[in-house]
Amino acid sequence: MTALHEVSPTPGRPAARTAPDPQLAQSLGLRYMRRQMRIAEFLKPDAVVEELRSTSKTEILRELSAALARTNPNISPQRLATVLEERERVNSTGVGEGVAIPHGKLPELSSLSASFGVCRAGIDFDAHDKKPTFLFFALVAPENSAGLHLKALARISRLFRNASFRESILAARGAQEIYSLILQEDAKA
């Protein structure tokens, strides 16, 4: 089984065997090593949209869903949009400061997946601060992944708290530059 890892020993102490999963670690009587989640694990360059053209919440969600579908070809953009729209009906995911994090869960997904888009004109996304929203980070997760889903949402939220980072994204030209900026900021955290 390749699920076990050797951890570099502390001087004078033997190497510790660890497992990447808490349940596996417990069942084997081993330590669990927490690994920090990285955005690149679920956001791919093909899912970044340099300029969202839509002017309404529903249209933005559809554009983000189309980008998500590029990295998840087995799931239709319509299905992804439906999941995001259903979540928006419960409560707006416009978190304020020009940022929205639409999210939802799909049973047919096997891992987290995300898309990111910029709308430089800004739209009314029913944000908590009542200000226009410019940056959209859509996240979909497998149905039974509450912990992972929440961890990803927290990571995204933490990343976009930085005002100078948000400004650099708005000033970026091209999807690749936006993606690189996101990965650079994520590496700092």
Side-chain angles (χ1 to χ4, degrees), residues 3-141:
L4 301 180
H5 303 282
E6 294 292 326
V7 176
S8 300
T10 309
R13 299 182 86 178
R17 292 183 69 195
T18 66
D21 174 69
Q23 285 85 21
L24 177 64
Q26 184 177 11
S27 70
L28 297 173
L30 302 173
R31 287 189 335 185
Y32 170 63
M33 292 290 291
R34 288 187 190 263
R35 183 183 60 78
Q36 192 160 15
M37 175 181 283
R38 293 291 176 200
I39 300 288
E41 294 174 38
F42 51 88
L43 177 65
K44 304 304 174 205
D46 290 346
V48 175
V49 181
E50 175 189 3
E51 185 65 41
L52 295 165
R53 306 278 180 222
S54 300
T55 58
S56 74
K57 181 187 272 197
T58 301
E59 291 170 353
I60 289 282
L61 294 175
R62 289 180 183 158
E63 274 192 81
L64 292 167
S65 296
L68 270 165
R70 286 196 293 271
T71 59
N72 295 283
N74 296 333
I75 303 171
S76 75
Q78 295 81 11
R79 174 81 173 108
L80 291 161
T82 298
V83 167
L84 296 177
E85 289 167 11
E86 286 172 357
R87 173 58 184 84
E88 284 300 315
R89 281 194 284 278
V90 173
N91 194 18
S92 177
T93 58
V95 296
E97 300 297 327
V99 177
I101 311 172
H103 57 277
K105 293 185 179 182
L106 281 169
E108 56 266 41
L109 272 183
S110 59
S111 62
L112 287 173
S113 188
S115 64
F116 180 80
V118 178
C119 179
R120 287 178 181 81
I123 70 152
D124 179 2
F125 207 78
D126 300 318
H128 300 295
D129 63 2
K130 308 292 185 214
K131 295 179 182 175
T133 303
F134 304 92
L135 307 174
F136 300 87
F137 206 119
L139 178 72
V140 288

Side-chain angles (χ1 to χ4, degrees), residues 4 27 33 50 65 98-99 101 133 139 148-149 155 158 164 166 173 182-183 188:
L4 301 180
S27 70
M33 292 290 291
E50 175 189 3
S65 296
V99 177
I101 311 172
T133 303
L139 178 72
L148 192 61
H149 185 209
R155 184 86 184 156
R158 207 171 308 120
S164 62
R166 293 191 308 267
R173 295 293 170 225
I182 291 170
L183 296 189
K188 294 177 189 177

Side-chain angles (χ1 to χ4, degrees), residues 148-162:
L148 192 61
H149 185 209
L150 292 174
K151 191 174 179 180
L153 288 171
R155 184 86 184 156
I156 295 163
S157 177
R158 207 171 308 120
L159 199 68
F160 283 91
R161 282 187 193 147
N162 180 336

